[in-house]
Amino acid sequence: MTNHIPETLDDLNVLLKRYLKSSLDHEVEINAYVPPAELRSIVDIDPPEEGIGEDQLAELAKSYLDHSVRTGSWRYMNQLWSGFSLPGLVGEMTAAVSNTSMFTYEVAPLATLIEKAMIRRLCSLAGFEGGGGLFVTGGSNANLVALMAARYRMSPESSLQGIDGRQLRLFVSDQAHYSFSKAAHIMGFGRDHVITVESDELGRMKPDDLKRVINEQRALGAVPFCVAATAGTTVLGAYDPLNAIADVCDEENLWFHVDGAWGGSALMSDQLRHLMAGCERADSLTWDQHKMMGLPLICSTILFRDPTTLLKMNGLGGEDYIFHGSDDGDLGPMSLQCGRRVDALKLWMAWKAYGRLGFAERIERLFDLAQHMGTRVVAHDQFELVAPVSSLNLCFRYVPHPDATDEEIDQLLIQARTELVRSGRLLVNFARVQGRPCWRVVLSNLDLTKELVDQAFDEIEASCRRVRLDLT
Ligand SMILES: Cc1ncc(COP(=O)(O)O)c(C=O)c1O
């Protein structure tokens, strides 16, 4: 069954190089949208009874790539992740070929040392000197693990005996990511018990309101257990005031989590680190390297100031067949999963290639580009920013004329965005801020230039103008 390794890899090599070359070609557009029924009719998707053999694997890969969205292209500004990382790809391919799992040093020797080294370095940047952590399956999972740790500290016995009926309350801002609500659902303390705190005009949590809602909940007999601040909110890219929130957590004796899935990478830069001031006072930090650091999905970490947190909480079982009390420093007992990918390898490769300073320089450039695009939005008669630009997110509306109604503005936006995305010229999303849609552009591709950012803005502007003419 494995006679085809050389030919298949050679064919794949040609195919992948061609795909990457075209994705990274500035002139090439992102694939135009194809509706599901049409796509199903183009590609034979059903898994067959009788296999077609291994010699068509490259054909299958080609068919897959032909119908994939070119997320490596500069035209992909839809998400908090985009672009292409060569060291990341090399790390992914190497990890896939070596196909091991992070549970024991015995089966993942260098991988274990690499993961520990990366966690140590990330912790020291976070201000958790001597802290600990792990690579996890994404920011949502990291947030869940942090909340589990917060509850475990308050009530270690809940691990064995179940939740004791205490009415736990988590506090997040009204801009926080939905993963906190999911975590409340998974952990069983209830989505209604995630209490939202008001944010200011930039989208930052208001510490006074935090204090108020904590008191309110205590007066109702509920038990606050954790405050989760956001460093880089999903829609507006805002950084919560971490020091002021840490003060409240100290006063109230609450676990302080920072969700830096998006914005935590500011820690890489001496120039931008001030955005994370106060992070060193947190108990835990979520930090996705597949977002602002451009690593391929998934590359995500949960970090703790107390290095013993994960082992105490998750070291439950497996001694009968896998963990034999080795003193090699197995990482498996710290993890919620048993099998776990070697996601640290691609970060290590990229860090070796660029160094911290290389990452810092590229992230700083993106912050400058976001300010540049913000300036263009403000200078334009028909565009208005929904909120000042805090980091790499730009949220704005097109107001065709001064008398335009909210309905007109909203309809124009949805139509212009659909037209633009379907054309393949730019893939950019919209978000709702205070209930109303706005363009939400994210500059997360580390290879963006001023020219490309200008071209993106021109594309959006042109599509708004076209739709405006159609509507009049
Ligand atoms: C602030 C924030 N936290 C958490 C997450 C979840 O991260 P992931 O997609 O890696 O699960 C996101 C995703 O966009 C986010 O913006």
Side-chain angles (χ1 to χ4, degrees):
M1 289 292 274
T2 50
N3 295 340
H4 300 287
I5 292 176
E7 299 85 347
T8 304
L9 289 189
D10 286 349
D11 290 352
L12 203 61
N13 193 18
V14 172
L15 183 71
L16 297 183
K17 279 203 290 198
R18 199 180 302 141
Y19 179 79
L20 285 173
K21 196 157 174 259
S22 65
S23 284
L24 303 181
D25 180 335
H26 290 172
E27 299 307 315
V28 174
E29 297 183 349
I30 291 185
N31 289 358
Y33 171 85
V34 179
E38 193 181 328
L39 191 50
R40 254 186 250 113
S41 74
I42 301 172
V43 183
D44 177 10
I45 293 171
D46 291 338
E49 281 298 287
E50 299 253 344
I52 55 174
E54 288 184 338
D55 53 357
Q56 293 195 35
L57 290 173
E59 267 308 302
L60 293 176
K62 177 171 182 322
S63 164
Y64 177 79
L65 290 176
D66 282 348
H67 300 288
S68 294
V69 172
R70 297 178 188 281
T71 62
S73 163
W74 71 270
R75 298 173 189 272
Y76 184 81
M77 296 184 167
N78 205 51
Q79 246 87 39
L80 302 178
W81 51 269
S82 65
F84 170 68
S85 159
L86 182 62
L89 177 70
V90 174
E92 276 287 39
M93 291 172 88
T94 311
V97 169
S98 75
N99 190 38
T100 193
S101 167
M102 290 306 307
F103 33 59
T104 60
Y105 177 84
E106 194 170 71
V107 299
L110 190 55
T112 300
L113 299 186
I114 286 174
E115 174 152 346
K116 287 184 179 190
M118 297 321 295
I119 292 290
R120 228 181 356 259
R121 188 70 190 100
L122 296 171
C123 275
S124 80
L125 287 171
F128 298 170
E129 212 55 65
L134 216 56
F135 281 73
V136 291
T137 60
S140 304
N141 184 262
N143 286 340
L144 168 69
V145 174
L147 297 189
M148 287 177 63
R151 183 173 68 187
Y152 186 78
R153 185 172 74 181
M154 167 178 267
S155 166
E157 63 282 1
S158 68
S159 163
L160 202 56
Q161 290 154 8
I163 301 159
D164 60 6
R166 268 189 273 189
Q167 292 294 306
L168 297 185
R169 297 291 184 269
L170 163 69
F171 300 85
V172 299
S173 90
D174 54 16
Q175 303 291 312
H177 191 254
Y178 69 87
S179 50
F180 289 109
S181 176
K182 284 217 172 160
H185 160 69
I186 296 165
M187 291 171 64
F189 68 86
R191 287 182 293 133
D192 281 353
H193 301 153
V194 179
I195 308 297
T196 50
V197 181
E198 279 177 20
S199 56
D200 66 13
E201 66 292 347
L202 269 82
R204 300 173 300 190
M205 183 191 281
K206 289 182 181 170
D208 288 349
D209 198 56
L210 172 63
K211 188 91 184 148
R212 181 185 68 75
V213 288
I214 291 172
N215 288 335
E216 204 171 83
Q217 289 298 321
R218 286 205 200 280
L220 292 169
V223 182
F225 79 109
C226 177
V227 176
T230 308
T233 57
T234 310
V235 173
L236 294 175
Y239 283 78
D240 284 346
L242 303 184
N243 265 315
I245 296 170
D247 288 343
V248 176
C249 291
D250 284 351
E251 284 162 29
E252 300 284 344
N253 191 25
L254 296 176
W255 183 283
F256 178 28
H257 174 64
V258 176
D259 176 5
W262 172 221
S265 298
L267 289 167
M268 297 295 281
S269 153
D270 298 331
Q271 202 177 304
L272 299 170
R273 192 169 306 133
H274 67 93
L275 294 168
M276 298 291 291
C279 171
E280 69 286 355
R281 297 172 62 191
D283 295 290
S284 50
L285 170 68
T286 290
W287 180 354
D288 280 358
Q289 293 77 28
H290 63 232
K291 292 192 165 81
M292 212 178 267
M293 284 168 75
L295 271 303
L297 296 155
I298 295 289
C299 195
S300 173
T301 49
I302 180 66
L303 307 175
F304 292 95
R305 191 144 46 94
D306 174 355
T308 65
T309 308
L310 281 174
L311 190 59
K312 272 195 293 207
M313 178 171 76
N314 289 339
L316 316 162
E319 295 81 5
D320 51 339
Y321 82 105
I322 187 167
F323 304 124
H324 302 300
S326 137
D327 51 14
D328 289 335
D330 295 343
L331 290 173
M334 293 164 64
S335 164
L336 282 184
Q337 295 158 253
C338 179
R340 194 163 59 88
R341 287 166 48 92
V342 188
D343 286 329
L345 182 59
K346 56 197 163 193
L347 179 61
W348 183 71
M349 292 250 184
W351 207 302
K352 285 280 188 195
Y354 306 135
R356 179 183 70 81
L357 295 177
F359 272 118
E361 187 255 317
R362 297 171 85 198
I363 294 169
E364 285 158 14
R365 197 156 41 79
L366 281 186
F367 272 72
D368 290 344
L369 289 175
Q371 287 302 324
H372 166 70
M373 192 166 183
T375 309
R376 284 208 60 190
V377 174
V378 171
H380 194 289
D381 284 346
Q382 268 84 47
F383 279 108
E384 55 187 39
L385 280 175
V386 167
V389 179
S390 294
S391 55
L392 306 181
N393 309 35
L394 292 109
C395 291
F396 51 88
R397 289 202 185 97
Y398 182 80
V399 182
H401 53 86
D403 303 327
T405 62
D406 286 356
E407 290 71 29
E408 262 179 87
I409 295 169
D410 296 355
Q411 188 198 348
L412 192 149
L413 164 77
I414 301 293
Q415 223 168 302
R417 189 241 169 210
T418 305
E419 190 222 79
L420 188 56
V421 168
R422 302 274 157 114
S423 76
R425 287 192 305 280
L426 198 69
L427 186 36
V428 53
N429 220 328
F430 74 97
R432 286 184 193 279
V433 176
Q434 276 149 13
R436 291 196 48 216
C438 60
W439 292 90
R440 182 250 205 176
V441 175
V442 185
L443 306 187
S444 55
N445 182 332
L446 291 166
D447 293 319
L448 281 175
T449 61
K450 188 157 170 279
E451 290 68 35
L452 294 172
V453 167
D454 279 336
Q455 197 177 328
F457 184 70
D458 293 344
E459 289 283 7
I460 292 171
E461 202 243 357
S463 76
C464 288
R465 256 189 297 117
R466 263 193 308 273
V467 170
R468 175 189 180 176
L469 289 177
D470 287 350
L471 290 176
T472 50

